[in-house]
Amino acid sequence: MSTRSLIAIQNSDPKSCRSLYLHFDGYPSGAGRILIDHYNTEEKVEALLALGSLSALGERLAPEPGEKHNYDAPTGGICIAYHRDRGEKLRAPTVWNSAEEMLSQASDKFWAEYCYLFRDGKWYVDSTYQPHGWRLVSEALEEHDDE
């Protein structure tokens, strides 16, 4: 079973954003934790988006030189990208007029349950099925840990 999500970055203009699709483990304790721990600068987020759509989010973008990695035999902790690892056509990030537009259409267009937004150096998350407003991923994780 998959928990689909969108991972986005706020563009330099104050409203629009770009997102990629993530198929597996999109819940805050999965993708959210990896995003705040390993993709916490604009440069790292841009490099992540450059991979295009992902089957799985890992702690590393790519394998080390000589390290074996492919879709059928993934190496732990490495992103699995549909383009790079499965030879599929590169799916460039989707451009949205606003984060609110992304959130309102993510479930219909991508069956996404969560949307993540990197804005002002921090990760935010909201649920597509029951939106509660953008909140810091770190706060969502603290709330989850308290349960």
Side-chain angles (χ1 to χ4, degrees), residues 126-145:
D126 203 352
S127 168
T128 62
Y129 295 120
Q130 295 181 339
H132 293 92
W134 294 104
R135 61 187 179 150
L136 290 170
V137 171
S138 58
E139 291 175 3
L141 289 169
E142 285 175 14
E143 187 177 289
H144 180 267
D145 290 344

Side-chain angles (χ1 to χ4, degrees), residues 15-143:
K15 297 238 180 215
S16 70
C17 63
R18 291 170 288 128
S19 70
L20 64 75
Y21 169 78
L22 171 63
H23 191 75
F24 287 108
D25 299 333
Y27 45 87
S29 60
R33 170 64 61 200
I34 292 172
L35 290 170
I36 64 171
D37 288 348
H38 301 281
Y39 300 95
N40 48 23
T41 67
E42 187 173 332
E43 294 77 21
K44 290 178 181 179
V45 178
E46 289 291 354
L48 181 63
L49 265 65
L51 289 175
S53 294
L54 300 175
S55 177
L57 178 65
E59 299 166 356
R60 298 185 290 150
L61 290 171
E64 296 294 327
E67 183 179 13
K68 186 175 180 169
H69 171 74
N70 64 47
Y71 182 76
D72 295 323
T75 304
I78 300 172
C79 291
I80 301 173
Y82 288 105
H83 173 69
R84 179 190 67 203
D85 301 318
R86 292 186 61 177
E88 294 183 13
K89 181 180 176 185
L90 178 63
R91 293 181 216 151
T94 302
V95 177
W96 303 92
N97 291 320
S98 68
E100 288 67 33
E101 177 188 55
M102 173 182 64
L103 186 64
S104 71
Q105 295 182 25
S107 63
D108 289 337
K109 290 188 174 191
F110 295 94
W111 294 13
E113 294 182 44
Y114 295 96
C115 287
Y116 295 91
L117 179 66
F118 189 76
R119 176 178 58 203
D120 299 326
K122 295 179 182 170
W123 280 107
Y124 295 84
V125 64
D126 203 352
S127 168
T128 62
Y129 295 120
Q130 295 181 339
H132 293 92
W134 294 104
R135 61 187 179 150
L136 290 170
V137 171
S138 58
E139 291 175 3
L141 289 169
E142 285 175 14
E143 187 177 289

